[in-house]
Amino acid sequence: MASRSFSRALRSPLTRQLTSSATQRRTLVSASRHARTGLATTLKPTVTASFQQSRGLKQIDFAGVTETVYERDDWPREKLLEYFKNDTLALIGYGSQGHGQGLNLRDNGLNVIIGVRKNGASWKEAQQDGWIPGTNLFDVDEAISKGTIVMNLLSDAAQSETWPAIKPQLTKGKTLYFSHGFSPVFKDLTKVDVPADIDVILVAPKGSGRTVRSLFREGRGINSSFAVFQDVTGKAEEKAIALGVAVGSGYLYKTTFEKEVYSDLYGERGCLMGGIHGMFLAQYEVLRERGHSPSEAFNETVEEATQSLYPLIGANGMDWMYAACSTTARRGAIDWSGRFKDTLKPVFNDLYDSVKAGKETQRSLDFNSQPDYREKYEQEMKEIRELEIWRAGKAVRTLRPENQI
């Protein structure tokens, strides 16, 4: 997604998942019990993807569909330095993605410069991160003039607003890079019509810029999509893959600009953020209206999900999570999942239609281009923070073992 506000890599150790709270102990079968009964062997995750190595690329069977996955090992640091030895990477914008990708590029030894509004908040943040004015920190116009690869990581609304000034500087031979397909795909709304004589590529990390940075520093790498919108040189795809590794990707999956933006806008409004928050609120409110305390309602709605069950799904899959729960929990979940799917699928179809038709894009542009949008957004966040569910959650989090003094 554009904001990329969460990590999809859930890494909590199983032992911590099984023991960190009374709620978890109630629903999960303990690891020691599995060991005693011989279930530990049967609960090992099943590997469903088959691998065939070819010239450093992986041909992977994703549930019957074979895809090529590109990985970081294909582009070691020395190869990146050679490939980009004649390039200046002008990274425009220093928000979440700009921060993470920029620092990773710098650590990889590439010639990267930052372009932001001089003496603004992002300028000052970049200076705190060690970017030096006049050396690798410039205002936007000067950075673009110096760059051979222009990485437009401004917000979607800002890309639309600044495009009339940016486009004339994208001269023949340069490359335009995005991390979201929003602007060129919805060009009728954004007015971002890319020049016809340059390569236009995309690398979309599947997480926030902070996660892009943290996984890179851990020696790992985030999963990313890559795509080519326009290939003038015949090397746009190779360039996108190399840049994907350079900004901190561990694995890269091929897509299109259209599919990236459709799935991204759809996902963040659905299961990733909007839909999940809506389900949390609905379940919590019913529990409170039926006489349950705030702590019990929060534990049964959010705490057990995020601290126990979701990490198991992320690590091993839904079937593994079912197997790790009590037989009663398992039976009820299986019985009710179909009803939830049947009820929610029409809503998800409406959502996808809204995304594809550009309605979500128009809404985003209309709201985020308003001069007082930050104040309006902060008021919305204030309303969310003050909801009882999240005030109760703040208290519950203080009781987690890692937060005990």
Side-chain angles (χ1 to χ4, degrees):
M1 63 182 156
S3 62
R4 315 297 177 190
S5 59
F6 69 100
S7 168
R8 298 181 185 182
L10 295 168
R11 307 184 300 278
S12 299
L14 177 58
T15 53
R16 182 173 177 181
Q17 294 165 1
L18 293 173
T19 60
S20 62
S21 72
T23 302
Q24 295 163 353
R25 287 193 295 272
R26 182 176 64 78
T27 56
L28 292 178
V29 183
S30 71
S32 61
R33 180 181 171 191
H34 287 324
R36 289 195 305 272
T37 60
L39 290 176
T41 301
T42 64
L43 288 177
K44 289 181 180 179
T46 301
V47 178
T48 58
S50 60
F51 295 86
Q52 181 179 356
Q53 195 74 20
S54 175
R55 297 187 304 278
L57 309 179
K58 284 188 169 63
Q59 302 296 317
I60 303 182
D61 181 352
F62 290 97
V65 177
T66 300
E67 299 181 35
T68 299
V69 176
Y70 301 80
E71 57 182 334
R72 181 176 54 185
D73 289 346
D74 301 327
W75 286 88
R77 189 170 185 267
E78 295 75 16
K79 186 177 178 180
L80 290 174
L81 291 173
E82 175 64 23
Y83 190 83
F84 292 112
K85 65 182 180 181
N86 297 320
D87 285 304
T88 297
L89 283 63
L91 193 153
I92 310 305
Y94 203 67
S96 174
Q97 285 296 331
H99 166 272
Q101 294 188 35
L103 291 176
N104 291 352
L105 288 168
R106 189 174 73 183
D107 286 354
N108 271 327
L110 302 188
N111 182 23
V112 56
I113 61 177
I114 302 298
V116 291
R117 183 170 58 87
K118 192 171 184 178
N119 296 322
S122 294
W123 179 280
K124 295 174 182 177
E125 182 180 350
Q127 283 185 291
Q128 291 174 355
D129 288 338
W131 301 96
I132 303 171
T135 300
N136 52 22
L137 177 60
F138 304 92
D139 65 27
V140 173
D141 287 344
E142 187 172 3
I144 294 175
S145 70
K146 293 177 179 294
T148 57
I149 299 175
V150 179
M151 305 175 69
N152 194 339
L153 297 183
L154 294 167
S155 69
D156 295 325
Q159 287 184 17
S160 181
E161 293 168 4
T162 59
W163 186 246
I166 289 178
K167 182 181 177 181
Q169 301 180 73
L170 298 173
T171 53
K172 185 177 181 179
K174 294 196 175 189
T175 295
L176 179 59
Y177 167 106
F178 293 99
S179 279
H180 190 26
F182 187 98
S183 293
V185 169
F186 293 110
K187 63 181 180 180
D188 291 344
L189 300 174
T190 64
K191 309 307 179 185
V192 177
D193 52 334
V194 300
D197 55 356
I198 64 173
D199 288 346
V200 182
I201 60 178
L202 170 149
V203 174
K206 301 293 102 176
S208 74
R210 303 294 170 173
T211 308
V212 171
R213 180 61 176 162
S214 64
L215 292 180
F216 176 84
R217 296 187 70 180
E218 291 173 14
R220 303 167 62 196
I222 196 165
N223 288 343
S224 300
S225 296
F226 76 93
V228 173
F229 190 78
Q230 191 166 272
D231 185 1
V232 173
T233 65
K235 298 181 179 180
E237 180 169 303
E238 180 183 62
K239 199 182 308 179
I241 295 168
L243 271 174
V245 173
V247 302
S249 304
Y251 292 89
L252 290 145
Y253 307 83
K254 188 174 182 177
T255 186
T256 66
F257 270 60
E258 290 81 4
K259 288 179 179 177
E260 187 280 329
V261 71
Y262 292 167
S263 62
D264 186 80
L265 295 179
Y266 173 77
E268 63 198 10
R269 284 154 176 76
C271 287
L272 303 181
M273 295 174 67
I276 285 293
H277 193 203
M279 286 189 67
F280 281 165
L281 293 177
Q283 178 166 307
Y284 181 90
E285 289 175 8
V286 167
L287 285 170
R288 291 290 287 124
E289 290 162 4
R290 299 297 182 103
H292 296 265
S293 67
S295 62
E296 184 171 55
F298 185 86
N299 278 323
E300 288 296 332
T301 300
V302 179
E303 191 74 353
E304 185 169 355
T306 59
Q307 298 303 296
S308 174
L309 302 184
Y310 291 174
L312 292 180
I313 298 170
N316 303 304
M318 183 65 74
D319 57 336
W320 203 96
M321 189 277 287
Y322 276 160
C325 292
S326 69
T327 56
T328 300
R330 189 185 312 155
R331 181 71 268 144
I334 293 171
D335 289 347
W336 277 85
S337 64
R339 183 169 174 184
F340 275 106
K341 189 201 80 168
D342 293 343
T343 301
L344 292 172
K345 191 170 180 180
V347 177
F348 277 96
N349 268 312
D350 289 346
L351 170 56
Y352 195 92
D353 289 342
S354 182
V355 167
K356 189 172 183 179
K359 294 179 182 178
E360 298 303 310
T361 297
Q362 188 66 65
R363 164 65 175 158
S364 178
L365 291 172
D366 289 344
F367 183 87
N368 295 331
S369 61
Q370 296 175 18
D372 60 345
Y373 91 93
R374 292 187 185 276
E375 290 79 5
K376 291 180 177 178
Y377 164 76
E378 177 54 35
Q379 180 57 39
E380 290 176 318
M381 291 302 99
K382 181 174 182 289
E383 292 172 2
I384 290 175
R385 283 193 296 270
E386 292 180 354
L387 288 171
E388 184 188 271
I389 183 174
W390 300 119
R391 288 188 287 115
K394 186 175 181 179
V396 169
R397 287 191 294 273
T398 65
L399 300 177
R400 292 178 187 167
E402 64 268 26
N403 293 329
Q404 295 297 306
I405 298 176

